[in-house]
Amino acid sequence: MAQSSDDTGSKARFLESYVPGKFRSNLLELGRICGERRIKLYLCTLSFALTAKDFSGDCTLPYFARTPALLKLLIERYNETIKDVARLTNATVIDVNGFFSKLDGGAKLYSDPIHLSDEGNKILSKFIYDMVRPQMELYPDI
């Protein structure tokens, strides 16, 4: 079923109101500060429950996303920004979204479409630790 031009215009206006411009400028500033201080910067992509069934039941979408499709577009836009800023600032991207999208039991790892459950956070902390640990081993006195 094709979208009406009104639906398309509404979606465009919605997305324009949530452009990650301020987010981008904040990340760039963080990258600049880390660079000046010779601090290795790691940026994590945002994760979210990926399938329509993950959004069913009692799950409420965040106030800024009226549909799962809009939420997905917003998260993708922010993740593109994260990856672009990482490239510009020589930061390392930890692809949390890619990691969680490959795990079994996806929806059980979320308390809602964008927030991880306790179990999801345990898995996330181990994943990030495993990604950062090799750098920590290079500097054991820190």
Side-chain angles (χ1 to χ4, degrees):
M1 184 168 136
Q3 284 186 321
S4 72
S5 61
D6 186 47
D7 288 345
T8 304
S10 176
K11 183 191 281 186
R13 284 188 303 278
F14 173 77
L15 289 174
E16 285 171 9
S17 69
Y18 286 97
V19 291
K22 186 68 170 170
F23 179 70
R24 177 186 173 82
S25 64
N26 287 341
L27 287 180
L28 285 168
E29 179 65 6
L30 179 63
R32 184 189 65 74
I33 292 168
C34 288
E36 285 176 356
R37 292 177 170 93
R38 296 166 52 160
I39 297 169
K40 177 65 181 163
L41 178 61
Y42 292 85
L43 297 175
C44 296
T45 59
L46 305 174
S47 181
F48 61 103
L50 296 171
T51 65
K53 72 178 175 58
D54 293 336
F55 290 98
S56 62
D58 294 331
C59 190
T60 303
L61 288 171
Y63 71 92
F64 54 83
R66 291 177 283 230
T67 67
L70 281 177
L71 177 61
K72 185 175 187 225
L73 282 171
L74 287 170
I75 298 290
E76 287 170 351
R77 186 174 278 186
Y78 276 82
N79 283 343
E80 289 167 10
T81 300
I82 290 165
K83 291 173 184 178
D84 184 50
V85 168
R87 182 183 55 76
L88 293 171
T89 61
N90 200 29
T92 297
V93 173
I94 298 177
D95 189 8
V96 172
N97 187 50
F99 175 74
F100 273 93
S101 69
K102 295 174 186 165
L103 292 180
D104 290 332
K108 295 175 192 164
L109 301 176
Y110 292 85
S111 59
D112 65 38
I114 58 174
H115 295 103
L116 293 169
S117 65
D118 288 345
E119 183 63 25
N121 278 305
K122 286 178 189 173
I123 292 168
L124 173 63
S125 63
K126 181 173 179 352
F127 174 64
I128 292 173
Y129 176 79
D130 289 345
M131 297 295 293
V132 174
R133 190 175 80 181
Q135 290 295 315
M136 293 169 32
E137 290 172 353
L138 294 174
Y139 307 99
D141 294 335
I142 295 178

